Amino acid sequence: MAMSKLAQKAVAAITRLQPDPSEGYLAQRKAEDAAGKLTVASPRCRIDNLSVTADDGYEIPCRVFTPLDVDFSLRTGLKVTDDYRGTILFFHGGGWANGDVDFYSDACMRTALKLERRVVAVEYRRSPEFKFPRPLMDCYNVACALFAKQLLPDVRVPRIVLMGDSAGGNLAAGVACLARDRGDFRPNNMVLLYPLTYSDHSPATIFDSVRENGEGFILTREAIVDYTDMYINGPEDLENPLLAPLLTPDLGNLPRTLVITAEYDPLRDEGEAFAARLEADGTEVECVRIRDAVHGYYLYPSVLSFVRDTYDLLEEFLNTASPEHGGKGPFGQAAAGSGAAAAAGAAGSNASGAAGAGEAPGASGVSGEPGKGAAEAAGRGPKHAAAFKGADSAADEVPESPLSALLKPVAESLGLGGAFSQEGRKRWIKLLGTDSTM
């Protein structure tokens, strides 16, 4: 069932009120600061402020939300004890320039209480004052300290979950890739909420959701481009897999992952493509698209059905982890409380997809073609779209960009066809909402 016309008009009106990120990010920070001050602490959640020393000596603030079991009896009086089964390391969204721990405090408290997990929220430094990869490295420094038991000595390392929304999902994926490549620690589980995974949000991008949902649905295509431009040092960063995880040559041996996308989000398709690449490269993954939801909905009141559905999904994903990772196992059952979920069988990964994904050129798998600008090499033009989609026979004459080289064999191996078409995605994406058809 499509979003009602009345709801679309309301969402479009809200979208028009938002300032241009490149000019209004400071004003938005002030508004978010004011909103954050209105957060009411829960007596069932203890809040502690800690810090981690970054590699450049900066003290990175962190806020820890610990769910509590509060018990009172006439005989023993009031008894308060910690009540959690694992720890979530959370990276907030906001386009790397907005959002902060204060603004996300209500969502973090709600997450801690509903999921019975301690939440560690990272106050990483933001753009444009701090460019890529500084925000990512702040997150990585905190992750290193948490996994080394320096931040929280009592943490059960196997039960640490990486989690982020939007730009925070981008950072979580980057942290997971860095951890795998450097060998500093090994996360077992990761949750990505409507993550940014790619660097091309031009009208010529291969992902239809950027064009379909790029105007009038809260987050606009132009805003994504502005936020990215504020984050990068120059066009060469657009080719870096740590900024665009979808360009990572090999996505195998990463944490078991839950990817959640929103139906009316311009980032929807790239999040789902990232899940497809994880699947093809042998990483255990589940991908769910939330019906009628827009970008950023995780911050909305939990009375809304799609927010409740998301918590059901998160609870199911964490509870079906192996027991030593804080769950009950096994993984892959239907989401609890999601009566309208329509699950299409997940396509199995195979060697051809994984091998094809590993054949991208260059040390990072994203080196550009000689004589071409970085933006074109990163696939930001029409030639890139034609090469990937295979729209006609002439496409064979167009040199493949790094992304098309990574995605085409994955699409073929998973039987998705084309550019991760709607029909192809029916085979493996679970849908939550009032309508089980895509």
Side-chain angles (χ1 to χ4, degrees), residues 105-189:
S105 283
D106 184 69
C108 289
M109 278 192 294
R110 192 169 61 195
T111 298
L113 293 171
K114 287 184 176 293
L115 301 181
E116 298 178 350
R117 260 77 179 177
R118 177 169 56 183
V119 174
V120 179
V122 181
E123 192 80 282
Y124 58 84
R125 284 169 280 184
R126 299 174 293 183
S127 69
E129 295 88 349
F130 297 93
K131 303 283 189 177
F132 172 81
R134 187 68 263 167
L136 171 62
M137 294 314 300
D138 281 357
C139 294
Y140 190 75
N141 291 159
V142 173
C144 286
L146 181 62
F147 276 85
K149 294 192 172 188
Q150 296 169 356
L151 180 62
L152 297 171
D154 64 344
V155 71
R156 299 179 69 174
V157 171
R159 297 190 177 191
I160 298 174
V161 179
L162 300 181
M163 180 175 174
D165 73 314
S166 189
N170 171 276
L171 294 170
V175 167
C177 290
L178 270 177
R180 179 198 62 182
D181 295 344
R182 294 185 175 187
D184 290 331
F185 55 90
R186 174 64 168 86
N188 290 308
N189 294 284

Side-chain angles (χ1 to χ4, degrees), residues 44-124:
R44 295 179 52 238
C45 185
R46 187 179 72 248
I47 299 176
D48 300 295
N49 291 307
L50 305 175
S51 67
V52 170
T53 303
D55 54 331
D56 64 354
Y58 173 76
E59 290 296 316
I60 308 166
C62 301
R63 188 165 297 172
V64 183
F65 302 83
T66 304
L68 303 173
D69 178 42
V70 181
D71 183 55
F72 177 79
S73 70
L74 293 176
R75 185 173 63 86
T76 62
L78 182 66
K79 183 180 180 181
V80 180
T81 56
D82 292 355
D83 184 24
Y84 60 89
R85 291 187 288 156
T87 299
I88 294 173
L89 181 58
F90 184 79
F91 311 122
H92 67 77
W96 307 287
N98 290 117
D100 61 14
V101 170
D102 282 341
F103 187 62
Y104 271 76
S105 283
D106 184 69
C108 289
M109 278 192 294
R110 192 169 61 195
T111 298
L113 293 171
K114 287 184 176 293
L115 301 181
E116 298 178 350
R117 260 77 179 177
R118 177 169 56 183
V119 174
V120 179
V122 181
E123 192 80 282
Y124 58 84

Side-chain angles (χ1 to χ4, degrees), residues 240-292:
N240 194 319
L242 292 177
L243 184 138
L246 194 53
L247 291 174
T248 305
D250 180 8
L251 291 174
N253 197 30
L254 289 175
R256 170 179 171 265
T257 301
L258 171 64
V259 177
I260 297 179
T261 63
E263 181 178 8
Y264 293 102
D265 183 2
L267 300 181
R268 181 194 69 204
D269 291 355
E270 64 191 74
E272 293 169 4
F274 186 70
R277 284 216 53 223
L278 289 170
E279 170 91 4
D281 285 1
T283 294
E284 192 172 8
V285 62
E286 184 161 340
C287 183
V288 181
R289 181 191 298 181
I290 304 296
R291 282 277 184 196
D292 294 334

